[in-house]
Amino acid sequence: MTARSRAAFAPEDVADARRGEPATDLSGWASGAGWEYLGQQVPSGFASVVPMWAEHLFSCARGVLAGDVFAAVMHQLYEVAVSTDGPEMDGAFHDVRSGGTWKWLGTWDNGPRDEPFARDAVWVPATRGAARVPQAALLPRLCLRRSDRLPSSGSRDLADLGLEGFRLAGETDPVLDEIIATWLGGEAGAALRALPHPFVEVVVAGGHVALVRNGYAAPDEADAFAAGLAALARGLRDACAPLAVPAPVGSALPPPAWADPAWTAPGLLDVLSGAWWGAYREAAAELGLTLEDPDAFHRAFPDQPVPGRAQGVLRGRVDGLATEARLAWFADGVAPVDGWVRAALLLPAPAGVPVAATRRGGSLVEETGMWGEVVGDLAACWTVRRLPGTLDAAGVVPAAVAAARRLGFVPPA
């Protein structure tokens, strides 16, 4: 493998760091677990918590964890940015070899981000698991690590929750604090305490939770790692229950504040979202649909299967369908500041109509470029690929309706 900047979180991982790739893969484990083995392929729908480049991962597999949780597990080259002082993460690193560029003006050149291994960074052997937890879509980004890996400024000690030696970085408010206490005070906390690895990271973002450990997990270690990820996901799902205000699929939801063009955005993320809000207003007017509040959507349908956090939701009659449905666009964070959204069609699950079995995480309708899944009384179809800086309603609607017909969500035309 081509030599590149490297480091290891622990001495036992130095050989893997020097090799630049795992010595074994997880294909046998995936087969035994009944998971789909993707190899060196980025799993669709996990953008907020997995590497964006296929070259940064190995042995990816996806499937269903205990507790009916859709997830992916992979070996990873974990990226840690570097400066003239070394890796920009607290804690010890081993066998550091960095080829970063120091510019004469006195700034560190992190390079472009439009290709793999483009930043000035070291790449560290690790194992990552990512689980879909749509019930957590309204939570802000949270990052938990062992205490030596997070600065005391901007993070909180978790000893009061029984997690001595761990810290958590992220926003705080009374409701969020209660969710975190419930989450980490149960089986998720027990799973974290049981992890023996010197580097442990947990990230919550975009309706997902990720677990990372140092080193490439061997096949006989993968079950224990997946069990830890499952406990984190189940615990987070249960802890988010107070956020839900379930409603029937056909219910009308309130409009967002920004449905009024005169509404003034109070924060930076809102300002960055302003152009998108204008696009949603225009789409609603052109299609004759009604704007609904995206947060109210997640509270009403906490189990909806589309990855990410809804940014724009439109309800009404959609071309090609006899019943009301929703068009929605999702980002992989609080706002689509990276310019990418995932489009979806959501409609009542059919009663008395034969439905092709959909798997947890979505069944692919390849000819339409759509995933489809039924969860409870809600059916959804969403784009395999995110859309770059556009809603593309004219392309999304016919593709989604075709996928819904192909999967039996609506009767044939």
Side-chain angles (χ1 to χ4, degrees), residues 354-360 362-364 372-374 406-409:
V355 178
T358 60
R359 68 176 188 180
R360 176 62 73 229
S363 294
L364 178 63
E373 185 176 0
V374 171
R406 175 71 176 78
L407 292 168
F409 296 167

Side-chain angles (χ1 to χ4, degrees), residues 20-45:
E21 59 187 13
T24 59
D25 66 43
L26 299 177
S27 58
W29 171 79
S31 177
W35 283 33
E36 179 185 8
Y37 186 69
L38 302 176
Q40 198 169 20
Q41 178 182 332
V42 178
S44 175

